[in-house]
């Protein structure tokens, strides 16, 4: 059984992607972004070691969609993250998966290992957090330099297709 370090799992989040989501905070990040709000997750062995099956049982205890954040799930624990993504989609193919990473899109698509992860991700928030570009009014990202990317659509057309927030009815 494959195990990975998880800094935590949060249920019923409304700030880590569209809709009601369960968030898996994968331990480990090497970017060291100034002003990061998840500093404790930078240590690749922070938190609790769990099997992928235990993680899935926890996040699939309800019908929420999934967000994978961190740390950065595509740094120290990328092979485990790929295995987790694959199994999440095998068990529930319709689940909508968002993933946050410090990598930029061009870096992601040029790395053959990371490309394996992209096939399982619906929406990706790319780019390192830049404190000088912070804006509290941004939705689902922390700084202006980050992109919210529709992954499958982007892969299909060969360039970035940005996610657009649906209109909110008041």
């Amino acid at each position: 059984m494959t195990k990975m370090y998880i800094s935590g799992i949060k249920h019923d989040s409304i700030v880590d992607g569209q809709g009601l989501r369960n968030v898996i905070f994968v331990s480990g990040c090497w970017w060291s972004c100034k002003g990061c709000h998840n500093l404790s997750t930078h240590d690749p062995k922070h938190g609790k070691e769990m099997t992928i099956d235990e993680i899935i049982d926890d996040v699939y205890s309800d019908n929420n969609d999934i967000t994978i954040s961190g740390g950065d799930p595509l740094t120290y624990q990328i092979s485990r993250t790929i295995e987790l993504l694959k199994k999440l989609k095998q068990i529930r193919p319709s689940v909508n998966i968002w993933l946050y990473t410090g990598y930029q899109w061009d870096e992601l698509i040029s790395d053959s290992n990371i490309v394996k992860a992209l096939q399982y991700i619906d929406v990706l928030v790319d780019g390192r957090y830049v404190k000088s570009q912070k804006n509290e009014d941004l939705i689902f990202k922390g700084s202006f330099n980050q992109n919210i990317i529709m992954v499958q659509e982007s892969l299909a057309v060969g360039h970035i297709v940005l996610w657009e927030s649906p209109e909110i009815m008041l």
Side-chain angles (χ1 to χ4, degrees):
M1 293 248 144
T2 302
K3 291 185 175 185
M4 60 191 303
Y5 282 93
I6 300 298
S7 293
I9 295 175
K10 180 180 181 181
H11 287 262
D12 301 328
S13 173
I14 58 169
V15 298
D16 298 291
Q18 184 178 12
L20 200 55
R21 312 187 75 75
N22 293 339
V23 185
I24 303 164
F25 294 94
V26 175
S27 298
C29 181
W30 55 46
W31 303 115
S32 300
C33 300
K34 186 176 181 177
C36 176
H37 70 280
N38 281 346
L39 286 176
S40 64
T41 66
H42 291 189
D43 178 352
K45 293 192 176 182
H46 176 265
K48 181 179 179 181
E49 192 175 32
M50 297 175 71
T51 67
I52 287 178
D53 288 340
E54 289 171 329
I55 296 165
I56 290 172
D57 287 346
D58 187 331
V59 298
Y60 278 168
S61 61
D62 52 36
N63 206 29
N64 293 348
D65 285 320
I66 305 296
T67 296
I68 302 177
S69 189
D72 188 328
L74 301 181
T75 59
Y76 293 107
Q77 297 196 79
I78 184 167
S79 62
R80 293 174 187 102
T81 297
I82 292 169
E83 188 174 336
L84 173 64
L85 286 163
K86 181 178 180 181
K87 200 159 191 180
L88 285 166
K89 283 290 190 175
Q90 284 175 338
I91 292 170
R92 214 169 97 203
S94 64
V95 68
N96 179 269
I97 297 177
W98 283 47
L99 186 138
Y100 284 77
T101 183
Y103 284 103
Q104 294 178 311
W105 182 256
D106 291 342
E107 295 171 310
L108 294 167
I109 61 172
S110 65
D111 184 313
S112 60
N113 200 30
I114 294 176
V115 168
K116 294 174 193 171
L118 295 179
Q119 66 183 309
Y120 305 109
I121 300 167
D122 297 290
V123 179
L124 181 129
V125 181
D126 82 338
R128 296 176 262 303
Y129 171 74
V130 177
K131 189 175 181 178
S132 65
Q133 294 184 32
K134 174 184 176 178
N135 185 311
E136 303 271 336
D137 295 328
L138 296 173
I139 185 167
F140 306 135
K141 62 182 186 174
S143 56
F144 280 111
N145 63 298
Q146 295 172 311
N147 295 299
I148 303 176
I149 300 168
M150 301 293 296
V151 176
Q152 301 315 306
E153 293 83 345
S154 298
L155 292 171
V157 298
H159 60 83
I160 292 177
V161 177
L162 294 176
W163 175 85
E164 294 185 25
S165 176
E167 290 186 36
I168 299 172
M169 303 298 286
L170 299 177

